[in-house]
Amino acid sequence: MNEALLRSLTPSVLGILVRRGADFAAAEDAVQDALVEAVRVWPADPPRDPKGWLVTVAWRRFLDATRADAARRRREDLVDEEPAPGPAPAVDDTLQLYFLCAHPSLTPSSAVALTLRAVGGLTTRQIAQAYLVPEATMAQRISRAKRTVSGVRFDQPGDVATVLRVLYLVFNEGYSGDVDLAAESIRLTRQLADAIDHPEVAGLLALMLLHHARRATRTAPDGSLVPLAEQDRGRWDTESIAEGVEILQAALARDRLGEFQAQAAIAALHADAPTAEETDWVQIVEWYDELARLTDSPVVRLNRAVAVGEADGPRAGLAALAALNDSLPRHAAVAAYLHERDGDPVTAARLYAEAAHKAPNLAERDYLTRQAARLNARRCR
């Protein structure tokens, strides 16, 4: 079963159902039912036209649900409009759906959650991890968003800031998660940059390109994580780096700084360093200060503590870390790294083990476990 194909087809199928008159919540449910049916049927009987098959099955599921709902019997006349099996129109509705999900009737956080689930293809668990909230809380938020937009006319698209937030979170999940969505996020952000002259759109595109340039070096052949300092910089994609830097410089020249531009500036400083030792950590700390001012994000301040530790020494990094809540994701991992650099392997090993227990994915857990084992083995010699 080609999961990537199913995910790539989902936005177009959803868009077709919405344009044919299905309200968004019902259309999303019907598409999800069609995907489940595809997982069951396709391995033994793959369709010649996957998209047309999904449209047909999803539309039938929508109509079945409509008939079963007495309050919506007026929609039964749509039966005659059922699309015939066969090739579906080659229309890319994905970016439009991102804007439609960012509906003015929703709060920005609810709009992001709904879009990530319905269009981005992320699971509720993945979205909850991105927002640092329990999975049950995120499930309720998504359900409320669906109820809010059920029956709403989608003729008032949401704002650019919400769409950018969604694209950024989808890219991050595609970059580090189980499903590759990074290239699709870059494609959509390019479309948005072509359509809208906005410095933060340019900043996000630059950020994605600079991060994606390191993609091939982030993991070893066995799937284990490779830290930034140990990556083979000769394998970084220099064309993507050059394009990202050029886009960023043009955006910064407009003197309308936003968080994506600030993050891209940090990524550019990493990409510009020939070696890890030559990284301009002082400038990176300054950009983190700007980013913290713009976002007031505890995750930004956590990353800033690492940069401070590199620029001013591990004691300074630990002092910056002490001001943050130790329940933050990866707090223990940062503390372990700084304690090791400060010459305290016992505390570092304990914190690495603690961080491994809290790691959000298997690759990160294995890396942190190996770090703890390395320090414990050194003590036993």
Side-chain angles (χ1 to χ4, degrees):
M1 170 55 57
N2 192 331
E3 183 178 354
L5 173 62
L6 286 175
R7 289 181 179 276
S8 69
L9 292 175
T10 298
S12 293
V13 176
L14 183 58
I16 289 170
L17 266 64
V18 170
R19 288 200 306 275
R20 286 183 173 273
D23 68 68
F24 187 88
E28 203 264 343
D29 289 341
V31 172
Q32 293 300 321
D33 287 345
L35 294 176
V36 171
E37 185 69 7
V39 171
R40 186 182 70 83
V41 172
W42 286 12
D45 185 21
R48 285 178 295 183
D49 177 21
K51 183 177 177 181
W53 189 98
L54 286 171
V55 170
T56 300
V57 172
W59 186 255
R60 287 173 178 164
R61 293 300 172 90
F62 164 69
L63 292 177
D64 288 343
T66 300
R67 294 189 194 102
D69 188 347
R72 298 180 181 181
R73 291 186 182 278
R74 65 182 182 277
R75 297 191 182 183
E76 289 187 350
D77 58 355
L78 296 176
V79 172
D80 295 334
E81 297 179 21
E82 176 181 335
V91 178
D92 185 358
D93 299 302
T94 310
L95 193 57
Q96 180 187 9
L97 285 172
Y98 272 71
F99 274 95
L100 292 179
C101 285
H103 197 271
S105 63
L106 296 173
T107 64
S109 61
S110 294
V112 170
L114 177 63
T115 315
L116 290 173
R117 183 70 188 90
V119 187
L122 273 63
T123 66
T124 303
R125 180 185 296 275
Q126 289 171 319
I127 302 168
Q129 289 174 345
Y131 269 87
L132 311 181
V133 299
E135 184 176 354
T137 300
M138 184 52 65
Q140 292 174 355
R141 184 179 299 176
I142 294 172
S143 295
R144 285 196 300 269
K146 287 183 178 180
R147 288 195 298 270
T148 299
V149 300
S150 179
V152 169
R153 288 183 57 84
F154 284 91
D155 54 1
Q156 292 181 279
D159 65 347
V160 175
T162 300
V163 173
L164 290 180
R165 174 65 50 197
V166 175
L167 287 168
Y168 178 55
L169 290 173
V170 172
F171 174 82
N172 278 342
E173 193 59 44
Y175 193 60
S176 61
D178 299 327
V179 179
D180 187 358
L181 297 169
E184 173 68 359
S185 302
I186 292 174
R187 183 184 72 84
L188 293 173
T189 306
R190 282 191 188 279
Q191 283 187 9
L192 190 57
D194 289 340
I196 300 176
D197 183 20
H198 192 296
E200 272 294 82
V201 176
L204 178 58
L205 179 57
L207 176 63
M208 288 179 173
L209 290 169
L210 290 164
H211 279 316
H212 205 60
R214 298 193 287 109
R215 181 72 179 272
T217 64
R218 282 173 53 89
T219 56
D222 63 359
S224 60
L225 289 181
V226 180
L228 175 61
E230 300 173 19
Q231 291 175 13
D232 180 359
R233 297 177 183 231
R235 295 177 58 209
W236 287 359
D237 184 346
T238 54
E239 289 186 7
S240 291
I241 291 173
E243 182 185 5
V245 169
E246 182 180 358
I247 292 171
L248 172 64
Q249 288 174 338
L252 291 175
R254 301 177 64 175
D255 198 25
R256 290 169 54 193
L257 183 64
E259 62 175 294
F260 293 121
Q261 294 169 73
Q263 288 189 61
I266 294 169
L269 287 167
H270 283 299
D272 188 54
T275 65
E277 292 73 23
E278 295 173 86
T279 303
D280 190 344
W281 287 105
V282 172
Q283 254 201 94
I284 288 176
V285 171
E286 292 173 355
W287 276 111
Y288 269 122
D289 288 337
E290 289 287 346
L291 190 55
R293 179 182 61 80
L294 289 166
T295 66
D296 194 28
S297 165
V299 175
V300 168
R301 297 187 187 280
L302 184 70
N303 292 330
R304 179 185 178 277
V306 177
V308 169
E310 299 290 351
D312 301 326
R315 296 273 174 100
L318 287 167
L321 189 65
L324 302 174
N325 191 319
D326 61 9
S327 66
L328 274 173
R330 298 187 173 89
H331 185 283
V334 171
Y337 173 74
L338 292 172
H339 276 289
E340 181 181 358
R341 288 199 60 227
D342 194 39
D344 186 357
V346 175
T347 301
R350 175 179 59 78
L351 288 169
Y352 275 130
E354 177 184 329
H357 180 69
K358 300 177 180 178
N361 56 67
L362 182 60
E364 190 170 333
R365 184 176 70 196
D366 288 348
Y367 171 77
L368 294 167
T369 300
R370 286 197 300 273
Q371 295 300 97
R374 173 179 57 82
L375 292 179
N376 286 328
R378 185 184 300 172
R379 287 169 52 203
C380 297
R381 290 174 185 168

